[in-house]
Amino acid sequence: MWTAFVAIALADVVGEVIARLTRTAIPGPVIGMFLVLAALLVARRAPPEIERASDFLTRHLSLFFVPAAVGVMDQVGVLRRDAAPIAAALVVSTLVGLVTSALVFSALLRRSRGS
């Protein structure tokens, strides 16, 4: 299973190198994820080692949120001071995302029915 973790980490590193060399706005880990996806599409099936590693990572996904939670708690003073603008930004951005998703879905639905 460790070779699968190394392969996943290597894809992340290669993605980061590509992102820095090309100075693209796409984050390196996203590029690495697409590299893994491309490799899996070419292979047509995930190797058992990759499946076991991905199952392990999925089971322990909550641990990846610990650093973010620690960072939020470290900035609790800022959160208290700016609670209203932060809440407003969260509500507005959520509403914009929902409305945009609904409009896109509606347009695609009309388009598929018209075809």
Side-chain angles (χ1 to χ4, degrees):
M1 184 161 64
W2 290 110
T3 56
F5 285 123
V6 170
I8 293 168
L10 185 61
D12 182 54
V13 170
V14 170
E16 190 64 39
V17 169
I18 291 170
R20 289 180 186 228
L21 288 176
T22 61
R23 297 181 185 204
T24 182
I26 303 171
V30 173
I31 295 172
M33 180 181 61
F34 280 115
L35 292 173
V36 171
L37 175 63
L40 291 174
L41 288 173
V42 168
R44 299 244 184 202
R45 187 179 189 305
E49 289 180 359
I50 296 288
E51 285 186 17
R52 282 193 303 273
S54 63
D55 287 343
F56 175 83
L57 291 172
T58 303
R59 276 194 314 273
H60 297 86
L61 191 61
S62 60
L63 293 176
F64 292 109
F65 293 102
V66 171
V70 170
V72 167
M73 295 311 298
D74 186 48
Q75 299 296 321
V76 75
V78 174
L79 292 174
R80 281 193 188 123
R81 185 186 70 223
D82 298 329
I86 291 170
L90 285 170
V91 169
V92 169
S93 64
T94 299
L95 289 174
V96 168
L98 285 171
V99 168
T100 302
S101 297
L103 291 172
V104 168
F105 178 76
S106 182
L108 290 173
L109 190 61
R110 278 193 308 273
R111 186 177 187 188
S112 71
R113 287 184 180 167
S115 299

